[in-house]
């Protein structure tokens, strides 16, 4: 694994180094090509100008001669027009000359092109760019030198390791040989540098210097850690010297020397084994290696080296931590190591040009490792102190470099998480650590704000730390129960609210409250913490009252200055008060008082709770500066004030109270639509349940289940729940006579629908049908009277009402009546197949009235068409009306014939032979009547209807009636049918002949 590690790292270094050289060569070639292109283009433009001048002179000489020899143009004739269109015009001479010049210039331009690269294909300026992969150059010239350097470094380390395992040399000799070997390699690098004119390859000295540095790192680590031949101070000094030497060699011999040497320095602790690890020495050693590599990369403009160094150092820190840290000195050394890598080193590296993202990540990772170290150490004071030290260091660095303040936020999050997972903490020690964290993570941003240097991120950190600390403290020490008071915790939470409040005070003094996001970042936690402290201090049922107290400062500030942030927070406080009212246990009982299922409760306490919330919302409605704000406040305050009244007053008059409030508000302030509209909505909500029950019963009736009187709205509900909203809407419509019709259309429509519900419910109560037997006896009469009343009401409106909405209301009533007839009488409960009493007397019964009302409704609707739409009815509407009329007359006639034989219930008996013959005869008579009417009115649709009915009667006679007759009856029936058909044919021939004559 050790050899593979070095091989992988070496191959990566060689690959990237080779790629850099290749890119430099390609860039130089591209620059040469661009120069050649510019020169060729200049020559091309020059040649073009000269060619154009010469061509113009030639044309000036040639054109007159051609003009003299050209024939005289003639006018085109029809004979030669096609020929002239087919002939193609000759190209102008000037165009030919110009083309020749361009071709010559382009050929010259092609000749000056540089040869293309022979490479992998990459498009650059439309030309393929290639670079070759030279196997011999890579594996024969470059890799062996780099591999030799790595091999020397590995050989030196493994030589020491082998001597340790075999016991061949004493520790002193082993270390001495390591130093000699390392210094010898560096001396060889210096020799190669001095004799560069002979070697002509800088990689030789770079590999030797790197291998020597790695060997010296291993020698000092072995002497100080494995054998104790030198003291800790001497070992530290030696490692520092090697680091300095590696950095110096990199400036003399090149960057690869430092890379190889410092990579070897990181790998030395892994390759040189030791029975016991000295965590303090190893931490110091790794800190030197990391710092040396990071500074070298920074100094030579290779920032990636700095990033790699920080990553490797933090990785080593994680390995040391998870390998096991036991003593206090180890914890202290590792903590200081994290502080150096997370704060000191990044601050040193970006002291001039500001921080970069990898440095910030390094600080965050170091803080995370420090937090894990605190947890591993059992949250002892030493590790807590180190964690607070690294946090304070990050905060101090953030004073100079704003970007590093992100590291402070990371440290704050990890520190608060440590407080959460700190099990069994002593309360005094816990309070001290929490106070220190608050001072560092919230106090420093507050100082920024006082001095005017705080950014939005700092204020967000201040607010977040204050809010999260309050939650953590209450989660650990609070009871979360329904107790009277917890004053100490309330004081802590209230004290934390002071921090964002103080920060906002400076915003207010500077007049910066219009910076919405900044103000909200501070106002939200300040209000939340203050409200939470009041909630902790007071009993639960007083929550809405405490919400009122917490909202007062924000509402006062909003009243003094207009600010989006203050408006948002004021409304947020109102919403918080409403939510507080809703989440308290008493709310569910109090909620029942808003309807008619009130449960016992303390009226005084309940009214105080609702009134406190209503006061907040009503204040916002009064001081609100936007229409939306005022509207929402008015509507919500009406609901809350209704809740206050509902806690005191009985349930029965509440609907009337809401309706009267709506009317009063409308008469007093008609522009306050939200207020009186919400009061009207509350009054309407009382009518929702009975109307919904009525609608559900109607839906079941549409599906076939008869509408019973018990499903209609009761008289009590009509008086106490439906009548209030109907009266209020009527008053609004009456008072708003001057309003536009579009505005009044909605209330008028609602009033009409409610009037239908009331009328229909009273109508159902009058008939009192509550069983299927009663429905069979009286259902036909009930339906017929209802639909006839609708048609009569439409007729009365058409005759006596002159309002602008008259045509549409008339058509609506007709549509309701006809649809009611079609669905209920014609389809679902048709007496021809349903048990329905139509009356004992033929013709003078409910069938005639029902069908007659339907026909009258159709023709009345046709007459109202022009009044509603402003145009005469189309032919299709007239045709549909004629077809519907013929169909209804036919069904009525057959139903009346059926009543003659069956009585009041048409399905009481079977159809006999005589009745069947009379049905056929009735069809023929109806067909003749339709034919006569169509001839008289010159209505072709009626004549076609007569033919259809006659054809149906003929088919019935042939297929049904004649099959059951014998003798003279059969002959008579066929004779009647024959004469009828002959008569119809004769009549049609005369009618059609007359029409043709009149048309001609």
């Amino acid at each position: 694994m050790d050899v593979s590690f070095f091989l992988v790292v070496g191959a990566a270094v060689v690959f990237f180094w080779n790629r850099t050289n290749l890119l430099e060569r390609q860039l130089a070639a591209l620059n040469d090509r661009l120069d050649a292109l510019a020169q060729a283009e200049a020559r091309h433009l020059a040649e073009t100008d000269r060619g154009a001048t010469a061509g113009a002179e030639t044309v000036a000489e040639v054109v007159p001669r051609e003009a003299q020899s050209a024939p005289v143009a003639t006018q085109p004739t029809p004979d030669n027009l096609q020929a002239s269109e087919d002939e193609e015009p000759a190209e102008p001479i000037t165009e030919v000359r110009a083309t020749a010049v361009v071709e010559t210039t382009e050929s010259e331009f092609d000749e000056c092109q540089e040869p293309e690269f022979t490479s992998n294909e990459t498009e650059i300026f439309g030309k393929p760019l290639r670079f070759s992969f030279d196997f011999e150059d890579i594996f024969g010239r470059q890799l062996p030198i780099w591999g030799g350097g790595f091999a020397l470094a590995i050989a030196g380390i493994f030589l020491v390791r082998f001597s340790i395992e075999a016991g061949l040399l004493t520790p002193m000799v082993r270390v001495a040989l390591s130093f000699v070997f390392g210094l010898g390699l560096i001396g060889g690098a210096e020799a190669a540098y001095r004799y560069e004119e002979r070697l002509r390859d800088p990689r030789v000295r770079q590999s030797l210097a790197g291998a020597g540095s790695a060997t010296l790192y291993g020698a000092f680590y072995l002497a100080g850690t494995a054998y104790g031949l030198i003291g800790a101070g001497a070992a530290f000094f030696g490692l520092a010297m090697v680091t300095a030497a590696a950095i110096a060699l990199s400036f003399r011999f090149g960057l690869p020397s430092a890379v190889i040497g410092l990579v070897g320095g990181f790998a030395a602790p892994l390759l040189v084994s030791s029975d016991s690890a000295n965590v303090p020495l190893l931490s110091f050693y790794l800190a030197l290696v990391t710092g040396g590599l990071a500074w070298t990369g920074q100094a030579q403009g290779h920032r990636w080296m700095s990033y790699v160094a920080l990553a490797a150092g933090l990785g080593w820190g994680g390995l040391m931590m998870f390998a096991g840290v036991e003593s206090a000195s180890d914890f202290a050394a590792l903590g200081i190591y994290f502080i150096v890598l997370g704060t000191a080193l990044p601050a040193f590296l970006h002291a001039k040009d500001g921080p970069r993202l990898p440095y910030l990540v390094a600080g965050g990772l170091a803080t995370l490792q420090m937090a894990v170290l605190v947890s591993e150490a059992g949250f002892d004071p030493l590790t807590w102190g180190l964690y607070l030290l690294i946090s304070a260091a990050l905060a101090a660095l953030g004073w100079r470099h704003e970007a590093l303040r992100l590291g402070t936020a990371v440290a704050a999050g990890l520190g608060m998480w440590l407080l959460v997972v700190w099990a069994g903490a002593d309360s005094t020690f816990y309070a001290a650590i929490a106070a220190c964290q608050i001072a560092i993570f919230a106090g420093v941003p507050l100082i920024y704000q006082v001095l005017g240097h705080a950014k939005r991120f700092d204020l967000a950190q201040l607010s977040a730390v204050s809010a999260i600390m309050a939650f953590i403290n209450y989660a650990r020490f609070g009871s979360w129960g329904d107790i009277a008071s917890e004053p100490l915790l309330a004081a802590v939470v209230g004290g934390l609210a002071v921090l964002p409040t103080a920060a906002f005070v400076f915003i207010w003094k500077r007049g910066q409250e219009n910076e919405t996001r900044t103000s909200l970042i501070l106002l939200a936690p300040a209000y939340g913490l203050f409200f939470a402290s009041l909630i902790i201090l007071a009993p639960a049922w007083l929550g809405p009252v405490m919400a009122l107290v917490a909202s007062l400062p924000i509402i006062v500030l909003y009243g003094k200055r207009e600010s989006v942030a203050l408006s948002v927070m004021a409304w947020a406080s109102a919403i918080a008060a409403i939510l507080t009212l809703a989440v308290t246990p008493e709310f569910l009982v109090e909620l029942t008082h808003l309807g008619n299922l009130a449960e016992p409760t303390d009226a005084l306490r309940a009214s105080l709770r609702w009134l406190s919330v209503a006061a907040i919302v009503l204040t916002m409605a009064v001081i609100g500066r936007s229409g939306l704000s005022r509207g929402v406040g008015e509507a919500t305050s009406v609901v809350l004030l209704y809740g206050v009244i509902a806690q005191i007053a009985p349930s029965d008059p509440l609907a009337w109270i809401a309706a009267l409030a709506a009317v009063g508000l409308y008469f007093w302030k008609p522009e306050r639509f939200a207020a009186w509209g919400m009061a009207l909505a509350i009054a309407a909500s009382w009518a929702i349940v009975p109307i919904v029950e009525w609608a559900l019963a109607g839906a079941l009736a549409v599906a076939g289940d008869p509408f019973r009187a018990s499903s209609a709205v009761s008289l009590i509900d009509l008086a106490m729940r439906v009548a209030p909203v109907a009266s209020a809407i009527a008053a609004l419509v009456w008072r708003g006579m001057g309003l536009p019709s579009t505005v009044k259309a909605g209330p008028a429509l609602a009033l009409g629908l409610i009037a239908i519900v009331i009328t229909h419910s009273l109508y159902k109560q009058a008939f009192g049908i509550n069983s299927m037997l009663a429905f069979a006896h009286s259902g036909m009469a009930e339906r017929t009277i209802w639909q006839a009343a609708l048609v009569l009401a439409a007729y009365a409106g058409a005759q006596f009402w002159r309002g602008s909405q008259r045509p549409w209301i008339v058509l609506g009533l007709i549509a309701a009546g006809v649809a009611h007839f079609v669905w209920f009488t014609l389809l679902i409960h048709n007496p021809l197949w349903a048990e329905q009493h139509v009356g004992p007397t033929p013709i003078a019964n409910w069938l005639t009235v029902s069908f007659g009302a339907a026909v009258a409704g159709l023709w009345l609707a046709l007459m109202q068409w022009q009044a509603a739409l402003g145009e005469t009815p189309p032919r299709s509407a007239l045709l549909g009306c004629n077809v519907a009329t013929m169909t209804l007359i036919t069904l009525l006639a057959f139903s009346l014939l059926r009543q003659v034989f069956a009585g009041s219930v048409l399905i009481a008996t079977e159809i006999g032979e005589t009745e069947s013959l009379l049905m056929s005869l009735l069809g023929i008579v109806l067909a003749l009547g339709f034919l006569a009417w169509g001839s008289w009115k010159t209505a072709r649709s009626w004549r076609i209807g007569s033919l259809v009915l006659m054809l149906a009667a003929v088919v019935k006679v042939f297929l049904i009636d004649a099959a059951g007759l014998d003798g003279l009856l059969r002959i008579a029936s066929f004779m009647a049918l024959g004469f009828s058909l002959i008569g119809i044919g004769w009549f049609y021939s005369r009618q059609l002949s007359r029409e043709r004559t009149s048309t001609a």
Side-chain angles (χ1 to χ4, degrees):
M1 175 179 177
D2 302 331
V3 178
S4 62
F5 170 76
F6 277 101
L7 290 178
V8 170
V9 173
V13 171
V14 171
F15 175 76
F16 288 114
W17 192 266
N18 183 47
R19 292 292 298 170
T20 303
N21 293 334
L22 180 61
L23 290 174
E24 291 177 352
R25 292 197 301 271
Q26 291 176 354
L27 183 60
L30 288 175
N31 289 331
D32 295 339
R33 170 172 287 185
L34 289 174
D35 294 339
L37 289 174
Q39 295 174 4
E41 185 177 3
R43 289 198 302 272
H44 168 69
L45 293 175
E47 292 294 336
T48 302
D49 293 338
R50 290 196 298 270
T53 305
E57 294 174 355
T58 304
V59 170
E61 297 175 358
V62 173
V63 170
R65 289 196 297 269
E66 292 179 354
Q68 293 174 4
S69 62
V72 179
T74 59
Q75 294 292 334
T77 62
D79 295 335
N80 62 11
L81 180 61
Q82 183 64 34
S84 62
E85 291 178 354
D86 294 338
E87 293 176 357
E88 295 183 357
E91 291 185 353
I93 299 177
T94 55
E95 183 176 349
V96 176
R97 297 294 179 87
T99 304
V101 171
V102 172
E103 291 177 355
T104 303
T105 306
E106 288 181 351
S107 64
E108 296 176 357
F109 175 79
D110 292 336
E111 291 177 359
C112 70
Q113 299 285 331
E114 290 189 359
E116 296 180 349
F117 294 101
T118 57
S119 76
N120 293 331
E121 312 257 335
T122 304
E123 290 292 330
I124 297 181
F125 301 109
K127 297 290 184 179
L129 178 63
R130 303 182 179 94
F131 73 92
S132 62
F133 176 78
D134 194 335
F135 183 85
E136 292 180 342
D137 181 70
I138 297 296
F139 289 94
R141 187 177 66 86
Q142 298 183 17
L143 283 184
I145 296 176
W146 295 111
F150 280 107
L152 290 175
I154 295 173
I157 295 174
F158 274 96
L159 180 62
V160 176
R161 183 173 182 177
F162 174 77
S163 66
I164 295 172
E165 294 176 352
L168 299 177
L169 301 174
T170 62
M172 181 66 72
V173 176
R174 299 170 190 169
V175 174
L177 289 178
S178 299
F179 278 109
V180 171
F181 185 68
L183 293 173
L185 291 175
I186 295 176
E190 178 65 23
Y193 178 76
R194 292 179 180 273
Y195 294 99
E196 173 64 22
E197 67 278 0
R198 296 183 181 181
L199 294 177
R200 300 181 182 277
D201 195 337
R203 290 185 297 274
V204 175
R205 60 175 181 266
Q206 292 170 356
S207 60
L208 292 175
S213 300
T215 305
L216 291 178
Y217 272 119
F220 271 108
Y221 178 72
L222 188 64
T225 302
Y227 304 124
L229 300 177
I230 58 177
F236 292 161
F237 179 76
L239 293 172
M241 292 301 295
V242 174
T243 302
I247 294 172
L249 292 176
S250 68
F251 284 99
R252 184 171 178 82
F253 300 136
L255 179 62
S257 175
V259 174
I260 296 173
L262 295 179
V263 169
F266 274 120
L270 287 176
L271 299 177
V272 180
S273 59
S274 177
D275 296 334
S276 60
N278 190 330
V279 174
L281 180 59
L282 181 59
S283 301
F284 183 73
Y285 163 73
L286 291 172
L288 289 177
V289 173
T290 304
L293 180 58
W295 183 84
T296 302
Q298 180 88 355
Q300 296 184 3
H302 301 285
R303 293 189 180 275
W304 61 268
M305 184 180 295
S306 302
Y307 305 152
V308 171
L310 286 173
L314 292 173
W316 259 109
L319 289 177
M320 288 189 291
M321 182 173 57
F322 288 110
V325 183
E326 299 177 355
S327 63
S329 61
D330 293 347
F331 281 111
L334 198 54
I336 295 172
Y337 176 74
F338 290 142
I339 292 174
V340 171
L341 264 65
T343 58
L345 187 57
F348 172 74
L349 293 176
H350 58 64
K352 295 182 180 179
D353 53 353
R356 295 178 180 270
L357 181 60
Y359 298 148
L360 301 178
V361 174
L365 291 177
T367 308
L368 174 61
Q369 291 176 331
M370 189 67 234
V372 176
L373 188 65
V374 172
S375 178
E376 291 291 331
F379 302 93
D380 64 340
L382 174 62
T383 53
W384 264 122
L386 292 172
Y387 186 83
L388 295 176
L389 180 61
I390 193 173
S391 301
L394 286 171
L397 292 173
W399 190 279
R400 181 175 180 182
H401 301 291
E402 294 178 2
L404 282 180
R405 297 178 187 179
L406 178 62
T408 309
V410 174
L414 293 173
M416 290 185 290
W417 174 249
L418 288 175
L419 292 178
V420 172
V421 300
W422 189 3
D426 178 70
S427 58
T428 304
F429 185 42
Y430 179 91
I433 297 299
C436 291
Q437 290 195 27
I438 293 171
I440 296 172
F441 302 134
V444 173
L446 181 58
I447 296 175
Y448 292 158
Q449 176 69 350
V450 173
L451 298 178
H453 302 314
K455 303 299 180 182
R456 189 175 296 157
F457 179 80
D458 303 319
L459 300 179
Q461 177 181 321
L462 184 151
S463 299
V465 169
S466 302
I468 296 173
M469 276 295 186
F471 179 80
I472 292 173
N473 289 328
Y474 193 82
R476 178 174 290 273
F477 300 108
S479 64
W480 298 98
D482 189 13
I483 63 176
S485 177
E486 293 176 298
L488 182 58
L489 285 173
V492 172
V493 176
L496 289 171
V498 173
L499 297 174
T501 303
F504 180 76
V505 168
F506 287 94
I507 291 179
W508 181 266
K509 288 182 177 180
R510 296 164 186 161
Q512 299 172 346
E513 65 277 357
N514 286 324
E515 296 180 3
T516 304
R517 286 182 288 181
T518 304
S519 299
L520 287 177
I521 287 172
L522 296 174
L523 284 174
Y527 166 79
L529 292 173
F530 180 46
F531 182 32
S533 65
L534 294 176
I535 290 292
I536 296 172
L537 195 62
W541 72 270
L542 275 176
V545 181
M546 296 298 102
L548 174 61
V549 175
S551 303
L552 285 178
I554 295 178
I555 293 177
V556 171
L557 294 178
Y558 179 53
K560 291 183 178 180
R561 296 182 188 177
E562 182 179 0
S563 170
V564 175
L566 291 172
S567 175
V568 171
M569 281 308 306
W571 274 112
S573 66
I575 295 173
I578 295 173
L579 293 177
T580 304
L581 175 67
V583 299
T584 49
E586 294 84 355
F587 177 73
L588 295 178
V589 178
E590 295 166 359
L591 196 62
T592 60
H593 287 254
L594 273 64
N596 60 344
L597 300 174
E599 298 181 7
T601 186
D602 188 338
L604 181 60
R605 177 186 293 185
S607 59
L608 177 62
R609 286 159 44 81
W610 284 76
L611 188 60
S612 299
V613 181
I616 302 174
V617 181
L618 187 59
T619 304
M620 290 301 302
V622 173
I623 67 175
R625 294 174 174 83
S626 66
L628 178 62
S629 178
R630 290 194 300 269
V632 174
E634 291 170 2
T636 310
S637 59
V638 167
V639 174
L640 294 170
L641 290 174
Y642 169 78
V644 175
I645 297 173
Q647 305 306 316
I648 303 172
S651 301
D652 293 338
L654 287 179
W656 279 107
I657 291 174
L660 293 175
V663 175
L665 289 171
Y666 178 73
F667 286 178
W668 177 47
K669 292 286 185 181
E671 69 275 7
R672 299 287 187 179
F673 169 77
W676 60 261
M678 181 54 68
L680 183 63
I682 294 173
S685 65
W686 279 92
I688 288 178
V689 173
I691 290 178
V692 168
E693 292 177 351
W694 173 87
L696 290 176
L700 293 176
V702 171
D705 187 15
F707 196 114
R708 295 172 174 81
S710 58
S711 300
V713 182
S714 64
L715 296 178
I716 296 177
D717 287 341
L718 286 175
M720 303 303 297
R721 306 181 72 170
V722 179
V725 64
S727 303
I729 294 177
L732 298 180
V733 173
W734 167 70
R735 183 63 181 265
M737 293 300 292
L739 296 176
S741 58
T742 55
V743 177
K744 295 189 298 181
L749 179 61
L751 183 61
L753 295 176
I754 294 175
I756 291 175
V757 173
I758 296 174
T759 305
H760 185 265
S761 297
L762 293 174
Y763 182 76
K764 284 292 182 179
Q765 297 290 344
F767 272 84
I769 298 176
N770 283 315
S771 64
M772 293 302 297
L773 180 61
F775 179 73
H777 278 275
S778 306
M780 185 68 185
E782 183 190 50
R783 291 195 307 276
T784 301
I785 295 174
W786 177 257
Q787 68 193 29
L790 290 175
V791 175
L792 287 175
Y795 178 76
Q799 293 296 320
F800 304 107
W801 190 22
R802 293 296 178 263
S804 60
Q805 302 296 329
R806 175 183 61 84
W808 297 105
I809 293 177
V810 170
L811 288 176
L813 291 172
I814 293 172
V818 173
H820 191 277
F821 165 78
V822 170
W823 185 255
F824 292 104
T825 299
L826 201 60
L827 297 178
I828 297 180
H829 305 299
N830 195 318
L832 290 175
W833 51 76
E835 185 180 356
Q836 294 286 287
H837 287 264
V838 298
T841 306
I843 300 178
N845 54 32
W846 298 117
L847 284 172
T848 305
V849 178
S850 180
F851 280 81
V855 173
L858 290 174
W859 288 97
L860 182 60
L862 200 63
M863 289 186 292
Q864 291 296 313
W865 185 293
Q866 184 171 2
L869 300 179
E871 59 183 14
T872 57
R875 295 183 59 185
S876 59
L878 182 60
L879 176 62
C881 190
N882 287 333
V883 172
T885 302
M886 287 185 286
T887 303
L888 293 178
I889 291 174
T890 302
L891 290 175
L892 174 62
F894 285 119
S895 299
L896 293 175
L897 178 62
R898 183 79 183 103
Q899 186 202 17
V900 172
F901 289 89
S904 181
V905 180
L906 304 187
I907 61 174
T909 60
E910 298 290 336
I911 298 177
E913 184 175 315
T914 304
E915 184 181 357
S916 179
L917 287 173
L918 289 177
M919 284 183 178
S920 302
L921 180 61
L922 179 61
I924 295 173
V925 171
L926 287 174
L928 294 175
F930 292 164
L931 183 60
W933 179 265
S935 177
W936 181 45
K937 290 293 185 180
T938 317
R940 187 168 179 268
S941 59
W942 283 85
R943 298 199 303 270
I944 294 176
S946 73
L947 285 178
V948 172
L949 187 57
M950 181 65 71
L951 180 61
V954 169
V955 171
K956 181 178 181 297
V957 168
F958 272 103
L959 297 181
I960 300 176
D961 299 336
L965 296 178
D966 292 324
L968 294 177
L969 289 176
R970 176 181 294 179
I971 296 172
S973 63
F974 276 103
M975 289 180 61
L977 181 61
F979 283 122
S980 299
L981 293 175
I982 293 172
I984 292 172
W986 173 80
F987 183 83
Y988 258 98
S989 62
R990 289 176 57 85
Q991 183 68 27
L992 294 177
S993 176
R994 189 184 303 116
E995 287 185 359
R996 294 193 189 98
T997 302
S998 62
T999 302

